[in-house]
Short mmCIF file of all heavy atoms in Angstrom, two decimals:
data_model
loop_
_atom_site.label_atom_id
_atom_site.label_comp_id
_atom_site.label_asym_id
_atom_site.label_seq_id
_atom_site.Cartn_x
_atom_site.Cartn_y
_atom_site.Cartn_z
N ARG A 390 -9.00 4.19 -4.05
CA ARG A 390 -9.07 3.74 -2.66
C ARG A 390 -8.11 4.47 -1.73
O ARG A 390 -8.49 4.80 -0.61
CB ARG A 390 -8.94 2.22 -2.57
CG ARG A 390 -7.65 1.63 -3.04
CD ARG A 390 -7.85 0.27 -3.64
NE ARG A 390 -8.21 0.40 -5.05
CZ ARG A 390 -9.01 -0.41 -5.68
NH1 ARG A 390 -9.56 -1.41 -5.09
NH2 ARG A 390 -9.27 -0.21 -6.96
N THR A 391 -6.88 4.72 -2.18
CA THR A 391 -5.91 5.32 -1.24
C THR A 391 -6.35 6.74 -0.88
O THR A 391 -6.35 7.13 0.30
CB THR A 391 -4.49 5.31 -1.85
OG1 THR A 391 -4.17 3.98 -2.23
CG2 THR A 391 -3.46 5.81 -0.85
N ARG A 440 0.87 11.67 -3.34
CA ARG A 440 1.16 10.61 -4.31
C ARG A 440 1.80 11.27 -5.52
O ARG A 440 1.28 12.27 -6.03
CB ARG A 440 -0.10 9.86 -4.72
CG ARG A 440 0.14 8.97 -5.92
CD ARG A 440 -0.98 8.01 -6.18
NE ARG A 440 -1.02 6.96 -5.17
CZ ARG A 440 -1.78 5.89 -5.26
NH1 ARG A 440 -2.56 5.72 -6.30
NH2 ARG A 440 -1.77 4.97 -4.31
N HIS A 468 5.12 2.43 -1.07
CA HIS A 468 3.72 2.74 -0.78
C HIS A 468 3.50 2.26 0.66
O HIS A 468 2.87 1.22 0.90
CB HIS A 468 2.82 2.02 -1.77
CG HIS A 468 1.38 2.45 -1.76
ND1 HIS A 468 0.83 3.25 -0.76
CD2 HIS A 468 0.36 2.18 -2.62
CE1 HIS A 468 -0.45 3.44 -1.03
NE2 HIS A 468 -0.75 2.81 -2.15
N GLN A 471 0.09 1.20 2.28
CA GLN A 471 -0.45 -0.04 1.71
C GLN A 471 0.19 -1.23 2.44
O GLN A 471 -0.48 -2.21 2.77
CB GLN A 471 -0.17 -0.11 0.21
CG GLN A 471 -0.67 -1.38 -0.47
CD GLN A 471 -2.19 -1.45 -0.61
OE1 GLN A 471 -2.81 -0.46 -0.96
NE2 GLN A 471 -2.78 -2.60 -0.35
N ARG A 501 5.50 -0.37 -6.39
CA ARG A 501 5.90 0.21 -5.10
C ARG A 501 5.28 -0.58 -3.95
O ARG A 501 5.83 -0.63 -2.86
CB ARG A 501 5.47 1.67 -5.05
CG ARG A 501 4.00 1.91 -5.37
CD ARG A 501 3.74 3.37 -5.64
NE ARG A 501 2.38 3.63 -6.11
CZ ARG A 501 2.07 4.64 -6.91
NH1 ARG A 501 3.01 5.45 -7.35
NH2 ARG A 501 0.83 4.84 -7.27
N VAL A 502 4.12 -1.21 -4.23
CA VAL A 502 3.49 -2.04 -3.20
C VAL A 502 4.40 -3.21 -2.85
O VAL A 502 4.63 -3.52 -1.68
CB VAL A 502 2.11 -2.55 -3.68
CG1 VAL A 502 1.53 -3.55 -2.68
CG2 VAL A 502 1.15 -1.39 -3.90
N ARG A 555 -0.96 -5.96 -9.73
CA ARG A 555 -1.53 -5.50 -11.01
C ARG A 555 -0.42 -5.40 -12.04
O ARG A 555 0.69 -4.95 -11.73
CB ARG A 555 -2.17 -4.12 -10.81
CG ARG A 555 -2.84 -3.55 -12.04
CD ARG A 555 -3.57 -2.27 -11.70
NE ARG A 555 -2.66 -1.19 -11.35
CZ ARG A 555 -2.14 -0.31 -12.21
NH1 ARG A 555 -2.42 -0.41 -13.50
NH2 ARG A 555 -1.33 0.64 -11.80
N GLN A 557 1.20 -3.37 -14.39
CA GLN A 557 1.14 -1.89 -14.53
C GLN A 557 1.49 -1.51 -15.96
O GLN A 557 2.57 -0.99 -16.24
CB GLN A 557 2.08 -1.24 -13.53
CG GLN A 557 1.73 -1.66 -12.11
CD GLN A 557 2.18 -0.66 -11.07
OE1 GLN A 557 2.59 0.44 -11.34
NE2 GLN A 557 2.08 -1.07 -9.82
N PRO A 595 -3.67 -5.39 -4.14
CA PRO A 595 -3.83 -4.01 -3.63
C PRO A 595 -4.92 -3.22 -4.35
O PRO A 595 -5.34 -2.17 -3.85
CB PRO A 595 -2.46 -3.39 -3.89
CG PRO A 595 -1.92 -4.13 -5.07
CD PRO A 595 -2.46 -5.53 -4.95
N GLY A 596 -5.37 -3.72 -5.51
CA GLY A 596 -6.30 -2.95 -6.33
C GLY A 596 -5.56 -1.77 -6.95
O GLY A 596 -4.52 -1.35 -6.45
N PRO A 597 -6.04 -1.21 -8.04
CA PRO A 597 -7.15 -1.70 -8.83
C PRO A 597 -6.77 -2.99 -9.57
O PRO A 597 -5.62 -3.17 -9.93
CB PRO A 597 -7.40 -0.55 -9.81
CG PRO A 597 -6.09 0.18 -9.92
CD PRO A 597 -5.43 0.02 -8.61
C1 NCD B 1592 -1.44 0.54 -5.98
C2 NCD B 1592 -0.65 1.80 -6.29
O1 NCD B 1592 -1.19 2.81 -6.72
O2 NCD B 1592 0.53 1.73 -6.07
N1 NCD B 1592 -2.78 0.75 -5.72
C3 NCD B 1592 -3.18 1.18 -4.48
O3 NCD B 1592 -2.69 2.16 -3.96
N2 NCD B 1592 -4.11 0.46 -3.85
C4 NCD B 1592 -1.16 -0.57 -6.89
C5 NCD B 1592 -1.39 -0.38 -8.35
O4 NCD B 1592 -1.64 0.69 -8.86
O5 NCD B 1592 -1.28 -1.40 -9.04
#
Side-chain angles (χ1 to χ4, degrees):
R390 63 212 86 214
T391 306
R440 168 168 288 190
H468 191 348
Q471 179 72 43
R501 52 195 173 209
V502 173
R555 182 173 68 90
Q557 303 204 11

